[in-house]
Amino acid sequence: MNILQLVKDQLSSAAITQISDYLDEDPQDVTSALSAGLPVILAGFMQKASTTEGAGQLLNLLQKDTRSEEFAGNIAGALKGGQGASLISAGSDILSSLFGNKVKMLGDLIGNISGVKANASSLLNLIVPLVMGVLSKKVKTDGLGVSGVAALLMSQKDSVKGDIPAGVGSILDVDSLGDFKGGQRSLKEESRGGLA
């Protein structure tokens, strides 16, 4: 399963037009920013899921998520319906938890690559619920537990490394993507014990 491709499949020309209109940016620049930003965001989810504790936190978030699934399936409709500000706010919180103080550096990098300089951070915030929606649907459809979420995200190593833009390596530890680092409890114990 290629998560990046599933996310890209949601980005119809109508969706890109709506995102461009919402951010008041050129559609071609937005397309470039999405191509650069999506693998970066997925890399953040991968790093989060690379420890047992992080995978458990992520699973909890995905199981509770409902808005992102709706957004992923109808981006244009969500933005037309006035949900842009709330999605950006939700995305900002998650982005900070994934990347901490590196968020601004990543936004600047995506902006320089794509030309979406003024609104690069807002675009990244919109990407987060898009990726979340695809992951959330997979978790719920397949009934994934902590080990399943970790395995799913670790399996994205090749596609993410192949698409991640130049320059990100100086901000994120790209070489370690896809490597599970474990945690205080084993994945099997975490899956049995839940997220207490």
Side-chain angles (χ1 to χ4, degrees):
M1 174 184 176
N2 188 320
I3 295 173
L4 272 181
Q5 190 56 54
L6 286 176
V7 175
K8 290 175 183 177
D9 288 346
Q10 307 300 319
L11 292 166
S12 64
S13 57
I16 291 174
T17 297
Q18 194 62 42
I19 293 171
S20 303
D21 289 347
Y22 181 78
L23 297 175
D24 194 22
E25 295 282 357
D26 181 81
Q28 189 170 347
D29 291 344
V30 166
T31 300
S32 296
L34 288 167
S35 295
L38 284 170
V40 171
I41 299 301
L42 187 52
F45 281 104
M46 290 173 68
Q47 289 188 332
K48 183 75 170 176
S50 67
T51 65
T52 305
E53 293 80 6
Q57 292 167 10
L58 184 56
L59 176 64
N60 190 39
L61 192 64
L62 292 169
Q63 287 175 331
K64 292 178 178 178
D65 180 69
T66 53
R67 276 196 312 169
S68 296
E69 282 187 72
E70 295 171 6
F71 176 64
N74 186 16
I75 306 163
L79 292 177
K80 282 181 182 177
Q83 297 180 50
S86 64
L87 287 164
I88 285 176
S89 177
S92 177
D93 290 341
I94 296 169
L95 205 63
S96 294
S97 74
L98 294 177
F99 299 113
N101 61 5
K102 297 176 181 177
V103 171
K104 185 181 185 305
M105 288 186 286
L106 289 169
D108 290 344
L109 176 68
I110 301 302
N112 289 332
I113 289 171
S114 65
V116 183
K117 294 189 177 180
N119 294 302
S121 293
S122 293
L123 184 66
L124 285 177
N125 291 335
L126 275 176
I127 292 173
V128 174
L130 184 57
V131 177
M132 278 276 295
V134 171
L135 289 173
S136 178
K137 184 175 181 180
K138 179 69 175 173
V139 163
K140 293 169 185 174
T141 300
D142 292 2
L144 298 182
V146 176
S147 58
V149 168
L152 172 64
L153 284 162
M154 295 307 100
S155 72
Q156 306 303 305
K157 179 177 182 176
D158 291 340
S159 63
V160 170
K161 283 189 174 182
D163 283 5
I164 212 156
V168 173
S170 63
I171 303 173
L172 305 177
D173 185 6
V174 176
D175 288 338
S176 72
L177 287 177
D179 298 334
F180 185 74
K181 300 174 181 65
Q184 294 177 351
R185 291 188 288 173
S186 73
L187 283 175
K188 186 178 288 187
E189 289 171 334
E190 192 78 25
S191 296
R192 283 201 306 263
L195 298 167

